[in-house]
Amino acid sequence: MSDKKPNLWLGIIILAIIIVVIISRISGTASLDSTQKNNETTAQVSMDTPTNKIQNSEATATNDDAQCHSAVTVWANQMHDVLIMMIETDDTKPKETQTAFLNAQNMLSQFSVPTCANQDIQQADMGIRKSVVPYIAWTQALMDGDTSKASELENQGDAFFGPGLDLFLKYENAHDKYRMSILLQAMKVLGPNLTPMPESTQAANKPTTAPATVTIQKTNENTEYATCENDVTAFTPQIQAIFEGAQAQTDILEAYVQKASITGVDPTQVDALFEQLAQIKAPLCINEPLEIVSYLGLMRDTLRPGFVELKVELAHGKPDSQSYARVRSWVSELHGFEQEITSRIKSMPKSLKALRTRKPTLSPKPQPTALPSPTSNVATSSLSAACKSSVDRFLSDIDVFINRATGIRFDIQEIIAGRPRRMHYVIADAFAGLKVMDVPTCTSEPKAIVKTLDEIRANELNAQMLNILEPGGKEMKQYAQLVEQGFATLDNLMNTLRNK
């Protein structure tokens, strides 16, 4: 019995160990299952969280895209003016060409490409900027008589400018075909004596990404003529309708000069008439359509300040001789534009006939080498083409503010003269947008004009406020005198700028 007890206890111990091992394995398995479930839950959470972040990121990207598009549009407007300045140069006048490039370099220093822009935009900006320095050196070498060095530097500039210009035209073709057509119109050749760089074998195997309007292909003359005739046939009634409306609006301005009875004149009538002008596709197969569109734009930019003038003057009922003189000068310009448009409409059939008999060619079709300019006794401008273009836009825009300021000035004069009247304009409305308008920097007058107008605004505001306390009082008269001084300065600045 005594020998059996150790064996019994040994069996019990072994059994206990086996039970403990079994329980331990069962517990371990349960723990592993729990851990796996927890890991799966954690993985699910970690999968859900990035999904939410991605959705938020996409929503943010949408807003960022809109802001980026706006920034790139501003960049393109500025770069367009730079390119016009660089393209409209004359190789036979290296000093003037160098001045144009130096001005372009100065303009480029005032803006930069948005960091959000795509690779094509970045490369276009980089290529155009890199071309300026060798081009400036090229013109200097020409002036020094070093033709070998000049040729080398010109090729360096071309190597940067050509690809940059191609990418910019690709952007313009997708976003602003009208402005692209203006740029192409200025391109007698691709840049200053620029010869397109030969394509490598590898590049030749790739599909071209250049705009269709830039690629010149040999075409059958009958097909080319038929296509052009169809395009011109569709184009003519569109511009004819706008042109006839512009002539009718010119008649209204002329009736005002003749002191006829006129009512219901509003600048929005001009905006409504020309609303579709930017959408009209001018055929490029002959010269006249693009020139007609350009002249219609000049008519629009002349009619609008004229209609603002009429609205202000007729509201007061007492137009003065200066107002009649202003409108008379605009009418004279408008008649000049009418003659140019009429002449080009009449010459389109002749150009089509010439196209039909012209032999196919691999060279670009003839395009106008410069933006059309009015021929009605307008002196040659001393400003560069790009500068004059921005100045013309500025003069059109600033006339609106001048007319409003003039209306307030008349109100103040009437009150001081003892003829109390309700002030026609609220200052904040009259000058809204003055400080954010696009002011050219290529000549000094535009900045000085905006500064003078802002001073007139402040003095007219003070006069209006003092009129509430003491109509026609001494202090109001003091500010009225400052307004008159401001207008004298403004007239001098405007005359100087218009005569440049």
Side-chain angles (χ1 to χ4, degrees):
M1 292 291 292
S2 59
D3 291 336
K4 291 181 180 178
K5 282 185 177 180
N7 292 333
L8 178 61
W9 285 107
L10 181 61
I12 292 172
I13 292 169
I14 292 172
L15 180 60
I17 291 171
I18 292 171
I19 292 171
V20 169
V21 171
I22 292 171
I23 293 172
S24 175
R25 288 187 176 181
I26 293 172
S27 175
T29 302
S31 176
L32 180 61
D33 290 343
S34 176
T35 302
Q36 289 176 340
K37 288 180 178 179
N38 288 336
N39 288 341
E40 290 174 0
T41 302
T42 303
Q44 183 63 41
V45 172
S46 65
M47 289 294 290
D48 289 343
T49 303
T51 302
N52 292 334
K53 288 183 179 178
I54 290 171
Q55 290 173 349
N56 291 336
S57 175
E58 288 174 350
T60 304
T62 301
N63 295 331
D64 290 346
D65 287 347
Q67 293 175 358
C68 184
H69 176 74
S70 176
V72 170
T73 300
V74 173
W75 168 86
N77 291 338
Q78 294 169 311
M79 187 58 77
H80 176 82
D81 289 341
V82 171
L83 288 172
I84 289 291
M85 178 174 288
M86 294 178 68
I87 290 170
E88 291 189 333
T89 52
D90 186 348
D91 297 359
T92 64
K93 300 176 181 178
K95 182 60 180 176
E96 293 180 9
T97 300
Q98 186 180 76
T99 300
F101 286 134
L102 288 170
N103 290 335
Q105 188 178 50
N106 179 56
M107 291 171 66
L108 286 167
S109 69
Q110 297 176 31
F111 69 95
S112 59
V113 64
T115 56
C116 63
N118 64 33
Q119 186 177 2
D120 281 357
I121 295 296
Q122 299 279 356
Q123 290 181 351
D125 182 89
M126 180 178 65
I128 293 165
R129 288 178 189 275
K130 283 187 174 182
S131 71
V132 175
V133 173
Y135 277 149
I136 293 172
W138 162 60
T139 55
Q140 186 61 50
L142 286 176
M143 288 186 285
D144 295 341
D146 192 341
T147 55
S148 176
K149 184 178 179 181
S151 178
E152 180 183 347
L153 290 166
E154 182 186 17
N155 288 337
Q156 289 179 16
D158 291 354
F160 292 124
F161 187 76
L165 178 61
D166 286 343
L167 288 170
F168 187 81
L169 285 171
K170 176 183 174 183
Y171 168 85
E172 292 284 68
N173 187 54
H175 295 88
D176 195 330
K177 287 184 173 61
Y178 175 71
R179 194 171 60 189
M180 185 193 74
S181 67
I182 296 298
L183 190 58
L184 289 174
Q185 185 186 26
M187 292 165 57
K188 184 176 182 180
V189 289
L190 295 179
N193 199 27
L194 179 63
T195 303
M197 300 297 290
E199 296 182 355
S200 64
T201 305
Q202 182 180 3
N205 293 331
K206 294 181 180 179
T208 178
T209 57
T213 52
V214 180
T215 303
I216 307 299
Q217 297 178 341
K218 184 175 181 179
T219 58
N220 179 272
E221 59 179 307
N222 294 328
T223 302
E224 184 180 28
Y225 167 75
T227 301
C228 186
E229 184 181 37
N230 289 337
D231 291 343
V232 171
T233 300
F235 167 79
T236 302
Q238 292 177 297
I239 57 95
Q240 190 70 45
I242 296 177
F243 183 39
E244 291 174 0
Q247 289 176 304
Q249 291 184 346
T250 301
D251 291 342
I252 293 175
L253 296 185
E254 194 156 25
Y256 173 80
V257 173
Q258 300 300 324
K259 301 182 180 180
S261 178
I262 301 172
T263 58
V265 175
D266 194 278
T268 57
Q269 295 169 326
V270 179
D271 298 335
L273 174 63
F274 289 91
E275 185 178 8
Q276 299 301 318
L277 181 61
Q279 280 72 50
I280 293 178
K281 184 178 180 181
L284 300 177
C285 49
I286 56 176
N287 297 344
E288 290 86 354
L290 197 59
E291 294 176 348
I292 291 170
V293 170
S294 296
Y295 275 112
L296 282 173
L298 292 173
M299 289 194 76
R300 174 200 58 210
D301 296 341
T302 307
L303 281 165
R304 198 179 196 289
F307 269 56
V308 172
E309 177 80 12
L310 263 64
K311 183 177 180 180
V312 171
E313 294 296 324
L314 295 175
H316 297 125
K318 293 184 179 179
D320 61 5
S321 58
Q322 292 180 348
S323 176
Y324 288 126
R326 279 194 294 271
V327 177
R328 187 179 294 110
S329 68
W330 288 326
V331 169
S332 177
E333 290 180 12
L334 287 164
H335 284 323
F337 300 149
E338 286 181 20
Q339 292 174 6
E340 297 293 341
I341 293 172
T342 301
S343 171
R344 281 157 176 78
I345 290 175
K346 289 181 178 179
S347 67
M348 281 197 294
K350 295 179 181 178
S351 295
L352 280 171
K353 182 178 179 180
L355 178 66
R356 183 172 57 183
T357 58
R358 190 173 65 199
K359 293 182 179 180
T361 176
L362 289 174
S363 60
K365 304 176 185 66
Q367 295 291 338
T369 58
L371 288 171
S373 56
T375 57
S376 54
N377 301 323
V378 178
T380 303
S381 174
S382 63
L383 304 174
S384 67
C387 184
K388 187 176 186 306
S389 176
S390 60
V391 166
D392 287 342
R393 289 197 301 269
F394 171 79
L395 288 171
S396 174
D397 294 340
I398 205 68
D399 265 333
V400 175
F401 297 105
I402 293 175
N403 285 334
R404 293 172 182 171
T406 302
I408 298 169
R409 175 193 185 191
F410 289 158
D411 286 341
I412 294 171
Q413 290 173 345
E414 288 293 288
I415 291 169
I416 292 175
R419 295 184 288 271
R421 60 192 299 167
R422 181 178 63 84
M423 300 296 268
H424 185 71
Y425 274 112
V426 176
I427 294 288
D429 295 338
F431 292 90
L434 177 63
K435 292 187 177 181
V436 296
M437 70 178 297
D438 186 16
V439 181
T441 57
C442 54
T443 184
S444 61
E445 289 81 12
K447 184 177 179 181
I449 287 169
V450 172
K451 181 176 180 292
T452 302
L453 261 177
D454 192 48
E455 292 171 352
I456 291 173
R457 175 198 62 78
N459 289 321
E460 288 185 335
L461 177 61
N462 288 328
Q464 276 196 355
M465 293 174 64
L466 289 169
N467 178 53
I468 298 173
L469 301 174
E470 185 184 358
K474 181 179 179 180
E475 292 187 4
M476 183 182 182
K477 290 179 181 178
Q478 290 176 349
Y479 284 109
Q481 291 175 355
L482 293 175
V483 169
E484 293 302 313
Q485 293 172 13
F487 268 96
T489 302
L490 184 64
D491 288 342
N492 289 333
L493 289 169
M494 293 292 289
N495 288 334
T496 301
L497 185 58
R498 286 193 174 108
N499 292 327
K500 275 198 167 183

